[in-house]
Amino acid sequence: YVFLYKNRKTNFVPTFMITKILKFLVYIFVLVILLLLNVETNVKFAVSYVIISFLFIIFDTITINQLSRKQVEEEKQLKNKDKNEE
């Protein structure tokens, strides 16, 4: 159990970073495609798209951090509960 817990913790950061990078690349890809389609207001659209994308990335990061902290707390409580039962 301890080994799985440590291994899970070390896998979270690379997985988290990979998903963030992939989301960012998808956002950039969509932006480039939309700009190539010759949207009438390219500059205004690009600026608003980038701002909204960054706001979503910030929101997503905060949400995931809160969920991971909550999960760690629950695991600590379970661990302490198991210790107290022994």
Side-chain angles (χ1 to χ4, degrees), residues 31-68:
L31 179 63
V32 168
I33 286 178
L34 290 174
L35 290 177
L36 290 176
L37 291 176
N38 200 14
V39 177
E40 294 174 1
T41 55
N42 282 345
V43 175
K44 291 179 184 177
F45 173 76
V47 170
S48 62
Y49 183 83
V50 168
I51 290 171
I52 291 172
S53 298
F54 280 122
L55 289 175
F56 178 74
I57 289 172
I58 292 168
F59 168 76
D60 192 37
T61 303
I62 291 170
T63 305
I64 289 176
N65 283 336
Q66 287 176 348
L67 289 174
S68 66

Side-chain angles (χ1 to χ4, degrees), residues 6 63 69:
K6 287 182 181 178
T63 305
R69 286 180 185 165

Side-chain angles (χ1 to χ4, degrees), residues 8-30:
R8 182 175 175 196
K9 200 172 189 180
T10 58
N11 285 336
F12 175 75
V13 174
T15 304
F16 176 76
M17 291 307 295
I18 288 171
T19 58
K20 288 296 173 187
I21 290 170
L22 289 176
K23 284 180 185 180
F24 183 70
L25 290 176
V26 167
Y27 294 148
I28 296 298
F29 180 70
V30 169

